[in-house]
């Protein structure tokens, strides 16, 4: 009888321990899909030294894998349609789509693919990724801040992450050199992102 009770106690304790440990043990990155209705990607380039021209890409899609418990971004990819460039000036936008800049006819997609992540604080980190532009790929570091993660209060009501991010690149590193020599168009391009991403429930 004593042996039976001891075995029962051990078995119960083990079961409880496993039950408590299982969620953490099984925790793994989950997929988040970019909400294209709540995504902004803005760029800023100096024009002849007078003032920056600001613009954006209006057509983007992507997703990423994020482990919220471990605060680790394990993978992800964003795709921007180069033809969707917008600076609120039709003639300038047409020029940006041509060979001097984005060459949208030959290179319709601009992609950023995550290759690494380093946490720098409770809600900040540096994402390293491969930016492919004009058919050339270079490594870029992006500063990221996680603003909020919670069930959405309206609409779809799914679990959602909200982030902002920014970095600065030199377009000449991708072979886009128009206007640099004469200082007509700046080489440095400041990029800023604001996005909401919805956790994939697995139902779709």
């Amino acid at each position: 009888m004593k042996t039976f009770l001891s075995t029962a106690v051990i078995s119960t304790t083990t079961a409880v321990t496993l039950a408590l440990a299982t969620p953490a043990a099984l925790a793994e990155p989950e997929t988040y899909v970019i909400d294209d209705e709540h995504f902004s990607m803005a760029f800023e380039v100096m024009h002849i030294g007078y003032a920056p021209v600001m613009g954006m890409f209006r057509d983007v899609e992507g997703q990423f894998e994020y482990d919220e418990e471990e605060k680790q971004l394990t993978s992800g990819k964003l795709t921007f349609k180069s033809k969707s460039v917008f600076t609120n000036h039709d003639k300038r936008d047409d020029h940006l789509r041509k060979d001097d800049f984005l060459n949208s006819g030959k290179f319709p997609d601009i992609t950023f693919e995550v290759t690494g992540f380093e946490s720098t604080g409770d809600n900040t980190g540096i994402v390293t990724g491969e930016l492919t532009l004009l058919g050339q790929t270079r490594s870029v570091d992006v500063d990221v801040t996680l603003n909020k993660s919670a069930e959405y209060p309206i609409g779809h009501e799914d679990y959602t992450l909200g982030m902002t991010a920014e970095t600065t690149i030199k377009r000449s590193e991708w072979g886009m050199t128009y206007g640099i020599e004469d200082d007509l168009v700046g080489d440095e391009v400041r990029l800023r992102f604001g996005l909401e991403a919805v956790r994939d429930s697995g139902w779709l």
Side-chain angles (χ1 to χ4, degrees):
M1 183 70 173
K2 183 177 181 180
T3 301
F4 174 78
L5 289 175
S6 297
T7 301
V9 169
I10 292 172
S11 298
T12 302
T13 302
T14 301
V16 171
T17 301
L18 288 174
L20 292 174
T22 296
L26 296 178
E28 59 184 25
E30 295 187 85
T31 300
Y32 290 82
V33 179
I34 301 297
D35 180 355
D36 59 4
E37 293 184 358
H38 297 97
F39 180 96
S40 299
M41 185 283 195
F43 61 83
E44 183 177 309
V45 186
M46 187 60 70
H47 182 244
I48 324 181
Y50 289 108
V53 171
M54 301 177 188
M56 63 188 303
F57 289 93
R58 299 196 288 188
D59 189 353
V60 61
E61 61 183 22
Q63 64 181 43
F64 56 87
E65 304 290 325
Y66 181 66
D67 186 331
E68 187 167 11
E69 185 173 322
E70 298 296 327
K71 297 182 179 179
Q72 286 294 318
L73 183 67
T74 57
S75 66
K77 185 176 182 179
L78 294 175
T79 300
F80 306 88
K81 296 300 181 181
S82 59
K83 285 185 177 180
S84 72
V85 66
F86 175 78
T87 65
N88 199 33
H89 189 283
D90 290 342
K91 187 175 180 179
R92 179 170 55 226
D93 291 349
D94 286 340
H95 189 192
L96 289 174
R97 296 183 184 107
K98 293 180 179 177
D99 296 359
D100 286 336
F101 291 99
L102 297 171
N103 198 357
S104 298
K106 185 176 181 181
F107 303 105
D109 293 340
I110 301 168
T111 62
F112 179 78
E113 191 157 3
V114 175
T115 58
F117 177 77
E118 177 186 355
S119 177
T120 58
D122 289 340
N123 67 328
T124 60
I126 299 174
V127 174
T128 300
E130 298 292 328
L131 175 63
T132 301
L133 172 66
L134 297 177
Q136 300 186 44
T137 302
R138 301 282 185 274
S139 182
V140 173
D141 291 337
V142 181
D143 294 319
V144 176
T145 300
L146 175 61
N147 300 316
K148 184 176 181 178
S149 56
E151 276 78 17
Y152 215 63
I154 56 176
H156 56 70
E157 298 183 348
D158 291 324
Y159 196 82
T160 301
L161 296 182
M163 297 183 183
T164 54
E166 63 179 279
T167 190
T168 299
I169 65 171
K170 288 188 175 182
R171 61 190 179 92
S172 60
E173 294 182 357
W174 283 264
M176 189 189 297
T177 59
Y178 177 86
I180 293 176
E181 185 176 351
D182 298 327
D183 200 28
L184 296 176
V185 183
D187 190 12
E188 288 194 347
V189 182
R190 184 184 181 192
L191 306 175
R192 300 195 68 214
F193 305 85
L195 65 90
E196 295 176 10
V198 180
R199 186 166 65 191
D200 186 356
S201 65
W203 290 99
L204 299 178

